[in-house]
């Protein structure tokens, strides 16, 4: 079941088994952290890189490793532009439908391509046993503070803009998607969002790994 909320409910942030999961990075500075899931793909990644460069913004791309394997030039382009890359598994299967051994195998397979200690589970959902195993294996599990829901067919560019302008705060990790479902809406919404965040004095940063 996908979470319909833009802001993640506090009970999911602070439940006991979530204490090692990152939802927000509040270091007291006016920074927000842009993240893009599911790429890289030629239909959207080049445009995202160009737009981020125009606004002097850095981001973290949580890549599906099978996409990175198929499009190594895009994987390299993201890194060459100074952005961070995170592990979003190799096959993008929902973790709650996988046994622990299957998920860990998929994550390790992805790591052979992506070489990142940052991990975000597909659909933003993970079981306690999976979280524990990933943390013990040395991964930073990164969720998000704000879900733009840009992948939904009923979501408009204006709703995406309103979601960020209404809810952004220092340390906010914002979830977008590097995908066919999102790119047409982001071509309208993202420049406006980036301009808004810069006008409010936010630095737009990639997520640092602690491992």
């Amino acid at each position: 079941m996908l979470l319909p909320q833009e802001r993640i409910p506090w009970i999911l942030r602070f439940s006991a088994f979530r204490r090692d999961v990152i939802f927000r990075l509040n270091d007291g500075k006016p920074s927000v952290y842009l993240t893009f899931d599911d790429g890289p793909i030629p239909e959207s990644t080049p445009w995202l890189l160009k737009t981020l460069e125009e606004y002097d913004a850095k981001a973290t791309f949580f890549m599906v490793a099978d996409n990175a394997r198929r499009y190594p030039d895009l994987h390299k382009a993201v890194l060459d532009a100074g952005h961070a890359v995170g592990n979003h598994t190799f096959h993008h299967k929902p973790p709650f439908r996988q046994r622990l051994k299957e998920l860990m195998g998929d994550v390790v397979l992805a790591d052979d391509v992506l070489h990142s200690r940052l991990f975000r589970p597909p659909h933003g959902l993970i079981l306690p046993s999976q979280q524990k195993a990933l943390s013990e294996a040395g991964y930073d599990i990164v969720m998000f503070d704000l879900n733009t829901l840009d992948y939904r067919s009923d979501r408009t560019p204006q709703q995406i803009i309103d979601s960020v302008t209404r809810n952004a705060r220092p340390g906010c990790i914002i979830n977008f998607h590097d995908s066919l479902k999102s790119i047409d809406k982001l071509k309208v919404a993202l420049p406006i969002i980036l301009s808004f965040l810069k006008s409010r004095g936010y630095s737009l940063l990639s997520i640092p790994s602690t491992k």
Side-chain angles (χ1 to χ4, degrees):
M1 179 178 179
L2 297 180
L3 294 171
Q5 296 91 343
E6 295 173 346
R7 294 291 291 273
I8 305 306
W10 70 269
I11 191 66
L12 293 183
R13 298 169 186 263
F14 298 112
S15 56
F17 70 85
R18 289 279 168 140
R19 60 183 177 273
D20 295 327
V21 178
I22 301 167
F23 287 91
R24 187 179 172 205
L25 290 169
N26 191 3
D27 58 3
K29 299 178 181 179
S31 303
V32 296
Y33 299 85
L34 309 174
T35 66
F36 295 87
D37 291 359
D38 298 351
I41 57 172
E43 294 86 351
S44 62
T45 309
W47 183 87
L48 291 174
L49 292 177
K50 177 176 178 292
T51 303
L52 291 169
E53 182 180 14
E54 289 174 358
Y55 288 89
D56 191 27
K58 299 302 179 188
T60 304
F61 287 76
F62 285 94
M63 294 185 177
V64 175
D66 194 31
N67 287 342
R69 177 192 61 82
R70 286 188 291 164
Y71 305 113
D73 290 348
L74 292 180
H75 180 197
K76 183 176 184 296
V78 169
L79 293 171
D80 287 348
H83 304 291
V85 165
N87 186 325
H88 202 43
T89 74
F90 194 91
H91 295 104
H92 201 264
K93 296 179 180 179
F96 52 89
R97 296 180 182 171
Q98 293 180 282
R99 295 188 176 185
L100 176 59
K101 183 177 180 180
E102 182 184 2
L103 173 63
M104 294 303 294
D106 208 38
V107 172
V108 171
L109 187 63
D111 198 40
D112 289 340
V113 177
L114 301 173
H115 309 292
S116 174
R117 294 287 91 187
L118 300 174
F119 174 78
R120 175 175 288 165
H123 307 298
L125 294 173
I126 191 170
L127 299 175
S129 60
Q130 296 168 341
Q131 179 219 310
K132 183 175 183 291
L134 286 161
S135 294
E136 291 177 349
Y139 290 95
D140 287 321
I141 303 173
V142 183
M143 297 296 194
F144 38 82
D145 185 44
L146 174 58
N147 185 5
T148 66
L149 305 174
D150 58 352
Y151 55 84
R152 284 176 39 163
S153 60
D154 62 347
R155 196 71 160 165
T156 68
Q158 189 59 52
Q159 287 174 315
I160 297 169
I161 293 166
D162 292 343
S163 174
V164 176
T165 57
R166 183 172 60 243
N167 293 302
R169 56 179 174 167
C172 189
I173 298 174
I174 305 176
N175 178 230
F176 300 98
H177 289 77
D178 181 3
S179 73
L180 291 173
K181 292 180 180 179
S182 303
I183 189 59
D184 288 342
K185 287 173 278 189
L186 290 183
K187 284 182 177 180
V188 176
L190 190 61
I192 295 171
I193 288 169
L194 296 178
S195 179
F196 168 82
L197 293 171
K198 297 288 283 190
S199 73
R200 295 303 188 272
Y202 286 111
S203 298
L204 307 180
L205 306 177
S206 57
I207 296 171
S209 175
T210 65
K211 308 297 185 183

